[in-house]
Amino acid sequence: MSVVVVFSLFIEVNSTCCALPVELVNESMDFSPAELLGAVPSGADPAGFIALYSLRSLLWGEPEKAGSRNVYHALRFKDEKGRNAAFIVDEYSSIEEAIVQSVDSYIAALPGIQGATVRKDGSVGLVLNPDNILELAGRSQPFAYAKVREKEKKEE
């Protein structure tokens, strides 16, 4: 049994506690329903838009419902291949150390799952594998698109 301690971002997806190694999260974003588009507008530069995928849909096969939320929380993972994608989660929970433990082959065979952790409160969380999730997204249609926001420049 292999055990690793990782500083993790805990999130909720489909009523399930999940953890992601913090060093693999590039940024978090929030979008209003009005900011979501069904497709990149005709004639627009695709690089100016980010594809949003639903973790609920990718991991549990449950469709994300358009307009079902007041705010869509999304995480962008660090991606060596430069894909412009982010993943919708239900809630951000906390950042804490997670002891990642391997899981039996049945759970390990689920796409996007790399292990499990027991939190300080005794609850169990699934540890997600961002690389596998990015691969799943590459074979799926995005839930929506959003315009990439310019990061505010610091005044000198």
Side-chain angles (χ1 to χ4, degrees):
M1 176 205 263
S2 68
V3 175
V4 177
V5 177
V6 179
F7 204 50
S8 298
L9 170 63
F10 283 86
I11 58 174
E12 292 287 325
V13 179
N14 200 31
S15 301
T16 302
C17 176
C18 300
L20 290 157
V22 169
E23 75 269 1
L24 299 179
V25 177
N26 197 35
E27 69 179 307
S28 64
M29 302 164 268
D30 290 335
F31 297 100
S32 71
E35 293 177 282
L36 302 183
L37 305 168
V40 174
S42 179
D45 179 8
F49 294 84
I50 186 165
L52 299 172
Y53 295 87
S54 166
L55 278 181
R56 174 186 300 267
S57 178
L58 289 175
L59 299 177
W60 282 272
E62 297 209 6
E64 187 74 42
K65 295 177 184 143
S68 63
R69 306 172 190 230
N70 293 328
V71 175
Y72 288 86
H73 304 297
L75 296 172
R76 182 183 287 177
F77 304 144
K78 292 186 179 170
D79 181 14
E80 308 272 324
K81 296 181 182 175
R83 292 169 281 208
N84 200 13
F87 299 88
I88 296 170
V89 303
D90 296 343
E91 294 291 332
Y92 306 121
S93 180
S94 64
I95 295 177
E96 56 190 80
E97 284 186 339
I99 298 173
V100 180
Q101 300 179 6
S102 57
V103 291
D104 67 34
S105 59
Y106 175 74
I107 294 172
L110 296 171
I113 307 298
Q114 112 180 8
T117 185
V118 177
R119 298 180 69 187
K120 294 175 191 173
D121 66 4
S123 63
V124 175
L126 295 175
V127 179
L128 303 181
N129 182 326
D131 289 335
N132 290 140
I133 292 169
L134 284 161
E135 292 303 320
L136 284 171
R139 298 189 302 264
S140 304
Q141 289 294 327
F143 165 69
Y145 293 88
K147 189 156 181 53
V148 173
R149 298 177 184 146
E150 293 291 323
K151 295 198 180 194
E152 293 182 354
K153 296 178 183 176
K154 291 185 179 180
E155 292 183 24
E156 294 185 29

PDB file of all heavy atoms in Angstrom, residues 74-87:
ATOM      1  N   ALA A  74     -15.072  27.114 -11.682  1.00  0.00           N
ATOM      2  CA  ALA A  74     -14.253  26.313 -12.595  1.00  0.00           C
ATOM      3  C   ALA A  74     -12.791  26.352 -12.166  1.00  0.00           C
ATOM      4  O   ALA A  74     -12.315  27.338 -11.614  1.00  0.00           O
ATOM      5  CB  ALA A  74     -14.396  26.831 -14.021  1.00  0.00           C
ATOM      6  N   LEU A  75     -12.098  25.250 -12.440  1.00  0.00           N
ATOM      7  CA  LEU A  75     -10.667  25.131 -12.169  1.00  0.00           C
ATOM      8  C   LEU A  75      -9.937  24.834 -13.459  1.00  0.00           C
ATOM      9  O   LEU A  75     -10.380  24.011 -14.251  1.00  0.00           O
ATOM     10  CB  LEU A  75     -10.406  23.974 -11.189  1.00  0.00           C
ATOM     11  CG  LEU A  75     -10.982  24.107  -9.799  1.00  0.00           C
ATOM     12  CD1 LEU A  75     -10.798  22.804  -9.036  1.00  0.00           C
ATOM     13  CD2 LEU A  75     -10.328  25.253  -9.057  1.00  0.00           C
ATOM     14  N   ARG A  76      -8.824  25.511 -13.652  1.00  0.00           N
ATOM     15  CA  ARG A  76      -7.948  25.209 -14.790  1.00  0.00           C
ATOM     16  C   ARG A  76      -6.738  24.475 -14.226  1.00  0.00           C
ATOM     17  O   ARG A  76      -6.129  24.920 -13.266  1.00  0.00           O
ATOM     18  CB  ARG A  76      -7.501  26.492 -15.481  1.00  0.00           C
ATOM     19  CG  ARG A  76      -6.616  26.206 -16.698  1.00  0.00           C
ATOM     20  CD  ARG A  76      -6.117  27.464 -17.324  1.00  0.00           C
ATOM     21  NE  ARG A  76      -7.212  28.103 -18.022  1.00  0.00           N
ATOM     22  CZ  ARG A  76      -7.096  29.270 -18.639  1.00  0.00           C
ATOM     23  NH1 ARG A  76      -5.952  29.918 -18.625  1.00  0.00           N
ATOM     24  NH2 ARG A  76      -8.122  29.798 -19.259  1.00  0.00           N
ATOM     25  N   PHE A  77      -6.430  23.327 -14.821  1.00  0.00           N
ATOM     26  CA  PHE A  77      -5.283  22.534 -14.388  1.00  0.00           C
ATOM     27  C   PHE A  77      -4.049  22.942 -15.176  1.00  0.00           C
ATOM     28  O   PHE A  77      -4.145  23.410 -16.310  1.00  0.00           O
ATOM     29  CB  PHE A  77      -5.521  21.044 -14.616  1.00  0.00           C
ATOM     30  CG  PHE A  77      -6.765  20.504 -13.963  1.00  0.00           C
ATOM     31  CD1 PHE A  77      -7.510  19.523 -14.581  1.00  0.00           C
ATOM     32  CD2 PHE A  77      -7.199  20.961 -12.733  1.00  0.00           C
ATOM     33  CE1 PHE A  77      -8.641  19.001 -13.993  1.00  0.00           C
ATOM     34  CE2 PHE A  77      -8.332  20.454 -12.130  1.00  0.00           C
ATOM     35  CZ  PHE A  77      -9.055  19.469 -12.773  1.00  0.00           C
ATOM     36  N   LYS A  78      -2.884  22.731 -14.577  1.00  0.00           N
ATOM     37  CA  LYS A  78      -1.641  22.921 -15.320  1.00  0.00           C
ATOM     38  C   LYS A  78      -1.604  21.852 -16.402  1.00  0.00           C
ATOM     39  O   LYS A  78      -1.864  20.686 -16.140  1.00  0.00           O
ATOM     40  CB  LYS A  78      -0.436  22.817 -14.401  1.00  0.00           C
ATOM     41  CG  LYS A  78      -0.380  23.983 -13.440  1.00  0.00           C
ATOM     42  CD  LYS A  78       0.855  23.997 -12.615  1.00  0.00           C
ATOM     43  CE  LYS A  78       0.793  25.227 -11.730  1.00  0.00           C
ATOM     44  NZ  LYS A  78       1.819  25.226 -10.720  1.00  0.00           N
ATOM     45  N   ASP A  79      -1.315  22.277 -17.617  1.00  0.00           N
ATOM     46  CA  ASP A  79      -1.412  21.369 -18.755  1.00  0.00           C
ATOM     47  C   ASP A  79      -0.209  21.554 -19.662  1.00  0.00           C
ATOM     48  O   ASP A  79      -0.045  22.603 -20.275  1.00  0.00           O
ATOM     49  CB  ASP A  79      -2.717  21.654 -19.507  1.00  0.00           C
ATOM     50  CG  ASP A  79      -2.943  20.743 -20.692  1.00  0.00           C
ATOM     51  OD1 ASP A  79      -2.238  19.722 -20.805  1.00  0.00           O
ATOM     52  OD2 ASP A  79      -3.815  21.063 -21.505  1.00  0.00           O
ATOM     53  N   GLU A  80       0.614  20.525 -19.729  1.00  0.00           N
ATOM     54  CA  GLU A  80       1.824  20.573 -20.551  1.00  0.00           C
ATOM     55  C   GLU A  80       1.521  20.735 -22.043  1.00  0.00           C
ATOM     56  O   GLU A  80       2.324  21.251 -22.795  1.00  0.00           O
ATOM     57  CB  GLU A  80       2.638  19.287 -20.341  1.00  0.00           C
ATOM     58  CG  GLU A  80       2.918  18.965 -18.887  1.00  0.00           C
ATOM     59  CD  GLU A  80       4.174  19.610 -18.381  1.00  0.00           C
ATOM     60  OE1 GLU A  80       5.129  19.709 -19.136  1.00  0.00           O
ATOM     61  OE2 GLU A  80       4.182  20.021 -17.204  1.00  0.00           O
ATOM     62  N   LYS A  81       0.332  20.289 -22.471  1.00  0.00           N
ATOM     63  CA  LYS A  81      -0.017  20.352 -23.895  1.00  0.00           C
ATOM     64  C   LYS A  81      -0.664  21.677 -24.274  1.00  0.00           C
ATOM     65  O   LYS A  81      -1.006  21.876 -25.433  1.00  0.00           O
ATOM     66  CB  LYS A  81      -0.947  19.190 -24.258  1.00  0.00           C
ATOM     67  CG  LYS A  81      -0.277  17.837 -24.098  1.00  0.00           C
ATOM     68  CD  LYS A  81      -1.203  16.713 -24.481  1.00  0.00           C
ATOM     69  CE  LYS A  81      -0.527  15.370 -24.274  1.00  0.00           C
ATOM     70  NZ  LYS A  81      -1.421  14.247 -24.530  1.00  0.00           N
ATOM     71  N   GLY A  82      -0.876  22.569 -23.314  1.00  0.00           N
ATOM     72  CA  GLY A  82      -1.392  23.895 -23.603  1.00  0.00           C
ATOM     73  C   GLY A  82      -2.868  23.963 -23.960  1.00  0.00           C
ATOM     74  O   GLY A  82      -3.306  24.921 -24.586  1.00  0.00           O
ATOM     75  N   ARG A  83      -3.646  22.963 -23.570  1.00  0.00           N
ATOM     76  CA  ARG A  83      -5.079  22.999 -23.870  1.00  0.00           C
ATOM     77  C   ARG A  83      -5.742  24.096 -23.045  1.00  0.00           C
ATOM     78  O   ARG A  83      -5.428  24.286 -21.880  1.00  0.00           O
ATOM     79  CB  ARG A  83      -5.725  21.643 -23.558  1.00  0.00           C
ATOM     80  CG  ARG A  83      -5.237  20.554 -24.510  1.00  0.00           C
ATOM     81  CD  ARG A  83      -5.657  19.201 -24.036  1.00  0.00           C
ATOM     82  NE  ARG A  83      -4.751  18.780 -22.958  1.00  0.00           N
ATOM     83  CZ  ARG A  83      -4.461  17.529 -22.663  1.00  0.00           C
ATOM     84  NH1 ARG A  83      -5.015  16.557 -23.323  1.00  0.00           N
ATOM     85  NH2 ARG A  83      -3.628  17.241 -21.690  1.00  0.00           N
ATOM     86  N   ASN A  84      -6.653  24.816 -23.671  1.00  0.00           N
ATOM     87  CA  ASN A  84      -7.337  25.917 -23.009  1.00  0.00           C
ATOM     88  C   ASN A  84      -8.675  25.409 -22.474  1.00  0.00           C
ATOM     89  O   ASN A  84      -9.708  25.599 -23.094  1.00  0.00           O
ATOM     90  CB  ASN A  84      -7.523  27.078 -23.992  1.00  0.00           C
ATOM     91  CG  ASN A  84      -7.758  28.387 -23.278  1.00  0.00           C
ATOM     92  OD1 ASN A  84      -7.548  28.492 -22.077  1.00  0.00           O
ATOM     93  ND2 ASN A  84      -8.207  29.371 -24.006  1.00  0.00           N
ATOM     94  N   ALA A  85      -8.632  24.736 -21.333  1.00  0.00           N
ATOM     95  CA  ALA A  85      -9.825  24.106 -20.775  1.00  0.00           C
ATOM     96  C   ALA A  85      -9.878  24.328 -19.263  1.00  0.00           C
ATOM     97  O   ALA A  85      -8.851  24.434 -18.602  1.00  0.00           O
ATOM     98  CB  ALA A  85      -9.828  22.609 -21.074  1.00  0.00           C
ATOM     99  N   ALA A  86     -11.106  24.388 -18.746  1.00  0.00           N
ATOM    100  CA  ALA A  86     -11.332  24.460 -17.304  1.00  0.00           C
ATOM    101  C   ALA A  86     -12.484  23.519 -16.976  1.00  0.00           C
ATOM    102  O   ALA A  86     -13.231  23.102 -17.869  1.00  0.00           O
ATOM    103  CB  ALA A  86     -11.655  25.885 -16.880  1.00  0.00           C
ATOM    104  N   PHE A  87     -12.621  23.201 -15.697  1.00  0.00           N
ATOM    105  CA  PHE A  87     -13.558  22.171 -15.284  1.00  0.00           C
ATOM    106  C   PHE A  87     -14.498  22.703 -14.212  1.00  0.00           C
ATOM    107  O   PHE A  87     -14.048  23.217 -13.184  1.00  0.00           O
ATOM    108  CB  PHE A  87     -12.791  20.940 -14.799  1.00  0.00           C
ATOM    109  CG  PHE A  87     -11.953  20.373 -15.897  1.00  0.00           C
ATOM    110  CD1 PHE A  87     -10.672  20.833 -16.113  1.00  0.00           C
ATOM    111  CD2 PHE A  87     -12.487  19.436 -16.766  1.00  0.00           C
ATOM    112  CE1 PHE A  87      -9.917  20.349 -17.174  1.00  0.00           C
ATOM    113  CE2 PHE A  87     -11.737  18.947 -17.820  1.00  0.00           C
ATOM    114  CZ  PHE A  87     -10.459  19.407 -18.035  1.00  0.00           C
TER     115      PHE A  87
END
